Amino acid sequence: MWVLMYVFSYSVSPAATNDRAEWRLLPTVVFQEFSNEERCKAAKATLEGSLKDAGTRLKSGLEDLKTIGKADPAQIIIAYNVECLLK
C-alpha cells in the first residue's frame, strides 16, 4: 500500500496587508492511499502539474492587479510538497 501526501500553503507578505491573519495561512494536508507505487506516482505527477498551473494563474492575475497599482506578485509565497510514501 502506498500513501500520497500532499501539503499546500501560501502566505502574504506583511507589507501587502495590515491584517495579520492573512500573513500566514495554515497549510492544507491531504493523504490518499493507493494500491501500488505506479498509481501513486501517476497521481503525484498530475497533482504537481495542477499546482504549478495554479501558481502560474495566481501570479498572472496578480500581475494584472499590479498594472493598476493594487497588488504585487512578489507579495505572495506559494509552497507545496507532494510525496509518495510506502505505508
Side-chain angles (χ1 to χ4, degrees):
M1 188 67 71
W2 286 81
V3 176
L4 178 74
M5 181 187 75
Y6 146 57
V7 180
F8 177 81
S9 68
Y10 75 92
S11 59
V12 179
S13 168
T17 179
N18 290 328
D19 184 355
R20 289 178 182 255
E22 290 184 15
W23 289 0
R24 183 73 173 158
L25 298 177
L26 295 175
T28 300
V29 181
V30 176
F31 296 94
Q32 184 174 355
E33 292 186 352
F34 291 88
S35 58
N36 61 55
E37 183 179 14
E38 293 77 29
R39 291 185 62 164
C40 187
K41 286 186 175 183
K44 176 184 175 183
T46 301
L47 186 54
E48 286 176 327
S50 69
L51 288 171
K52 287 177 188 173
D53 290 344
T56 301
R57 287 193 304 268
L58 177 60
K59 297 267 184 188
S60 174
L62 288 172
E63 283 291 343
D64 294 343
L65 291 174
K66 183 179 180 180
T67 61
I68 59 172
K70 297 291 183 184
D72 183 351
Q75 297 170 336
I76 304 293
I77 301 162
I78 300 168
Y80 63 89
N81 185 36
V82 183
E83 296 293 335
C84 281
L85 308 168
L86 186 59
K87 184 175 177 184

